Amino acid sequence: MSERILVAVAWPYADGPLHLGHIAGAYLPADIFARYHRIKGNQVLMVSGSDQHGTPITLKAEQDGVTPGELTAACHRDFLESWRRLGISFDLFTTTGTENHAKVTQDIFLKLLEEGYIYKAIVSQPYCPQCWRYLPDRYIEGTCPFCGSTAARGDQCDDCGKPMNPGEMLEPRCRLCGGTPQFQDSEHFFFKLSDFQKQLGDWVKKQKHWRPNVRNLTKRYLKEGLRDRAITRDIDWGVAVPVKGYEDKRIYVWFEAVIGYLSASKEWAKTQGDGEGWRPFWEEDKAKSYYFIGKDNIPFHTIIWPAMLMGYGGLNLPYDVPANEFLTIEGKKLSTSRNWAVWVPDYLSRYDPDPIRYLLSINMPENGDTDFSWREFLRRNNDELVATYGNLAHRVLTFTYRNFEGGVPQAGELDKPSEAIINSARETLNNMDGLLSKCHFKQAIMAGMGLAHQANRYLDDKSPWKVIKEDRQVAATSLYVALNVICQLKTMLYPFLPFSSQKLHEYLGFAGKIEDYGWDWQDLPVGQKLGEPKPLFTKLDDKLVEEETARLGQVNC
Ligand SMILES: [Zn+2]
Ligand SMILES: [Zn+2]
């Protein structure tokens, strides 16, 4: 029975290139999960898009002297290129700038308004008299009323993680000129989040499968009590408010960006020639939706978006929100402004995609922050990908290719160690199946690499390259066994290392896409012609550590 899985992935702000923190936080785990379900034969819809409307974008565009539209279009093109080269396999990666997205957002807005979950109220809005403009949240800095941090932004405090309404902040400053904003009255729409307190509490209690960090943070927010939130503001960049008299206001990005999961699903359905094709993913009871996001986004996906969905009615709530923690770089907090980051386009200009996918999988910040270092990148590439997995595949393939007419040899009777390694491969396949279905990616890839280690030891013990001189059949048997283990490794490591798994698939003599061959155990047909084997991975030079660390923190002029 095939399952239906919606893989909903965080919408990156289209205000600059992607860095490894984005990839480890949301995009890689989402891609692993989508590939795993696809190879299992399940129906997957993986969507996201660039978030074009945040105030970080208008701020950045202003700094760069371009229009927000120009900035976001350029970033969107770069995102698409990064996904393609890194193998992040979206079914659709769109933008919040489409007419479809505006329509879907306005539909939700109007339904919530009709149901009484949206109301109007007068608020005093920060206005900078020197800059002659209303100041969106991110244009204000000041002191957090909750923890006292002096680096709070108008919408959220990064130090204590609490969202706030502008006006709650102490000692506010205009970020453009440093002046003190005045507050002026303006009429706005509010989402009645407080109405969902009980319903959300009951729902969250039942989500026992959520990660502890996600559950705990969500419960903490609920315990503090939910407050209504403004959903419109005085800016001109964003989705229009579908109510007469509000033409000069726009819908807040926090309200609109989460709707992107739904609008992207609808857009995808249209591209498939079936405008209703999104419905099963959102309406069937059995369909499951997974939201892959970074930890800074948890309340939007476990509280706000579910409340919007409850108010709208008829659509599935998130099944799981496997939020990751943060990735630090060489022991320091990642900072884009100080260029303390590893940028994806930059990485891809020098290295293959699978080594970074490997490192970020085996060192994924699933349950706590993890650190990226170039030394570890080098070590994991050379010692694990090249020396363990790559070497296993390469020596078995080349030796078989040369000595058995380029085909899979016939095995004799299997001895105990041969049976043991075959059983171990079966167990690992099962074990990884369970781990991947629960989004335990780190443990899953470690299990796969454990099997590669074991297979190397098996091969060393059997030494078919020596044995072949005395007994060709005994050598053939151990090669047959090793080839079969490799054949399962290509499957189980496919979600993590799609490029090398596809190559291995071809070296093993299979045609077409590996994804079409399924997750289950595959016996290698005796006599199957092998492809001409080449190394799966490239050994990297030690000097990269020094070169790459020197790039960190350099500010480009
Ligand atoms: Zn704070
Ligand atoms: Zn100002």
Side-chain angles (χ1 to χ4, degrees):
M1 261 273 288
S2 117
E3 292 178 61
R4 214 181 281 278
I5 308 283
L6 175 69
V7 180
V9 201
W11 290 57
Y13 278 129
D15 65 348
L18 298 154
H19 54 66
L20 293 190
H22 293 121
I23 305 305
Y27 301 100
L28 180 61
D31 184 65
I32 294 167
F33 195 65
R35 287 180 185 273
Y36 156 72
H37 277 291
R38 291 193 197 111
I39 199 171
K40 288 277 290 181
N42 292 326
Q43 282 168 287
V44 174
L45 173 55
M46 175 170 164
V47 291
S48 180
S50 14
D51 183 344
Q52 304 205 331
H53 292 148
T55 38
I57 287 154
T58 48
L59 260 176
K60 178 83 191 330
E62 230 155 293
Q63 282 163 7
D64 293 0
V66 295
T67 67
E70 286 164 348
L71 172 67
T72 54
C75 285
H76 187 70
R77 278 194 301 273
D78 290 350
F79 289 167
L80 290 173
E81 180 66 1
S82 290
W83 304 144
R84 189 183 65 74
R85 295 180 64 194
L86 204 52
I88 306 294
S89 55
F90 285 108
D91 293 292
L92 178 70
F93 186 81
T94 178
T95 82
T96 55
T98 65
E99 205 179 303
N100 169 69
H101 176 68
K103 247 178 67 192
V104 176
T105 300
Q106 291 164 347
D107 169 55
I108 291 193
F109 183 99
L110 290 172
K111 176 88 186 285
L112 293 175
L113 185 66
E114 192 187 299
E115 299 287 328
Y117 296 121
I118 288 180
Y119 62 91
K120 285 185 233 173
I122 306 276
V123 282
S124 74
Q125 287 284 87
Y127 181 88
C128 180
Q130 272 126 287
C131 299
W132 294 79
R133 59 189 288 174
Y134 280 106
L135 297 175
D137 304 341
R138 296 240 178 180
Y139 285 66
I140 309 171
E141 289 169 331
T143 305
C144 170
F146 306 107
C147 76
S149 160
T150 52
R153 297 191 313 253
D155 57 343
Q156 178 173 328
C157 170
D158 279 340
D159 284 318
C160 68
K162 280 192 192 149
M164 67 185 87
N165 286 323
E168 289 178 313
M169 175 182 282
L170 310 172
E171 291 163 37
R173 301 184 295 281
C174 168
R175 216 175 132 177
L176 301 172
C177 71
T180 305
Q182 295 170 353
F183 283 80
Q184 292 191 356
D185 283 353
S186 178
E187 190 175 41
H188 281 283
F189 288 94
F190 279 74
F191 179 49
K192 236 174 168 179
L193 189 57
S194 55
D195 264 13
F196 297 90
Q197 178 83 41
K198 164 99 181 44
Q199 207 179 337
L200 281 168
D202 293 345
W203 175 69
V204 169
K205 241 180 251 158
K206 285 184 256 165
Q207 310 308 316
K208 303 228 156 62
H209 56 284
W210 285 5
R211 288 184 182 166
N213 59 341
V214 177
R215 261 172 80 86
N216 293 340
L217 190 76
T218 306
K219 283 183 177 167
R220 213 178 79 203
Y221 275 106
L222 286 169
K223 212 175 144 205
E224 284 165 6
L226 299 177
R227 293 174 302 148
D228 298 347
R229 289 177 64 101
I231 52 177
T232 54
R233 58 175 165 182
D234 298 286
I235 47 170
D236 55 9
W237 177 245
V239 175
V241 181
V243 180
K244 259 208 154 120
Y246 293 84
E247 289 78 9
D248 53 353
K249 299 179 198 284
R250 293 291 177 272
I251 294 176
Y252 239 116
V253 71
W254 68 259
F255 183 83
E256 162 256 301
V258 285
I259 296 174
Y261 303 118
L262 180 62
S263 64
S265 302
K266 292 187 176 185
E267 185 183 338
W268 167 82
K270 277 180 220 146
T271 65
Q272 302 301 298
D274 171 14
E276 305 299 307
W278 61 275
R279 290 189 186 276
F281 287 96
W282 284 87
E283 295 179 347
E284 275 178 12
D285 280 350
K286 276 193 216 142
K288 286 180 181 163
S289 52
Y290 291 78
Y291 291 76
F292 289 88
I293 56 162
K295 72 173 163 190
D296 48 338
N297 254 326
I298 292 172
F300 288 99
H301 293 81
T302 59
I303 292 176
I304 291 171
W305 178 229
M308 289 163 67
L309 287 166
M310 285 169 178
Y312 187 77
L315 300 177
N316 289 343
L317 300 180
Y319 172 76
D320 200 0
V321 185
N324 273 353
E325 306 271 313
F326 292 144
L327 186 74
T328 55
I329 304 288
E330 304 281 352
K332 285 190 212 163
K333 196 177 162 185
L334 195 148
S335 158
T336 55
S337 54
R338 286 185 296 112
N339 200 26
W340 196 262
V342 178
W343 302 101
V344 173
D346 203 33
Y347 169 88
L348 288 169
S349 70
R350 289 188 288 282
Y351 308 101
D352 290 334
D354 276 357
I356 196 68
R357 292 181 63 114
Y358 175 70
L359 171 58
L360 295 180
S361 298
I362 207 150
N363 192 24
M364 193 173 275
E366 279 176 7
N367 298 306
D369 294 353
T370 58
D371 186 50
F372 169 89
S373 74
W374 284 105
R375 180 149 300 287
E376 193 191 359
F377 171 76
L378 178 80
R379 180 180 70 74
R380 295 241 188 223
N381 181 76
N382 288 357
D383 297 359
E384 296 177 10
L385 283 184
V386 175
T388 302
Y389 178 37
N391 184 38
L392 167 73
H394 197 60
R395 57 184 179 151
V396 173
L397 285 165
T398 46
F399 192 73
T400 312
Y401 191 79
R402 284 186 202 137
N403 293 282
F404 293 87
E405 293 90 43
V408 178
Q410 175 82 52
E413 208 176 317
L414 301 195
D415 61 1
K416 277 244 164 67
S418 304
E419 273 178 2
I421 187 78
I422 292 283
N423 284 339
S424 190
R426 278 187 202 283
E427 273 166 31
T428 310
L429 200 58
N430 267 336
N431 181 16
M432 283 180 73
D433 191 7
L435 290 167
L436 282 164
S437 72
K438 294 189 189 79
C439 301
H440 296 169
F441 303 115
K442 197 184 220 164
Q443 276 174 278
I445 195 169
M446 282 167 81
M449 286 306 283
L451 178 66
H453 269 289
Q454 242 180 307
N456 264 324
R457 280 201 301 274
Y458 167 82
L459 210 59
D460 290 345
D461 290 347
K462 291 290 176 190
S463 298
W465 24 90
K466 285 186 208 146
V467 173
I468 195 165
K469 291 168 202 143
E470 296 131 38
D471 193 331
R472 195 172 160 80
Q473 185 55 63
V474 171
T477 302
S478 59
L479 288 167
Y480 174 83
V481 167
L483 281 169
N484 268 282
V485 172
I486 292 167
C487 186
Q488 318 316 315
L489 278 167
K490 82 169 163 80
T491 307
M492 56 183 92
L493 293 175
Y494 165 71
F496 302 94
L497 309 172
F499 297 96
S500 43
S501 276
Q502 177 66 36
K503 275 198 233 166
L504 190 49
H505 179 71
E506 287 156 23
Y507 299 161
L508 287 166
F510 294 102
K513 280 203 256 162
I514 181 173
E515 206 160 271
D516 299 334
Y517 283 72
W519 176 268
D520 295 337
W521 181 276
Q522 276 164 45
D523 274 324
L524 259 182
V526 171
Q528 172 155 296
K529 285 279 164 236
L530 302 173
E532 196 189 337
K534 291 184 203 91
L536 283 181
F537 305 102
T538 313
K539 194 168 184 230
L540 295 170
D541 199 305
D542 287 13
K543 70 176 193 289
L544 82 82
V545 176
E546 206 178 319
E547 286 170 4
E548 294 292 350
T549 9
R551 286 180 217 269
L552 281 169
Q554 276 182 3
V555 179
N556 298 327
C557 301

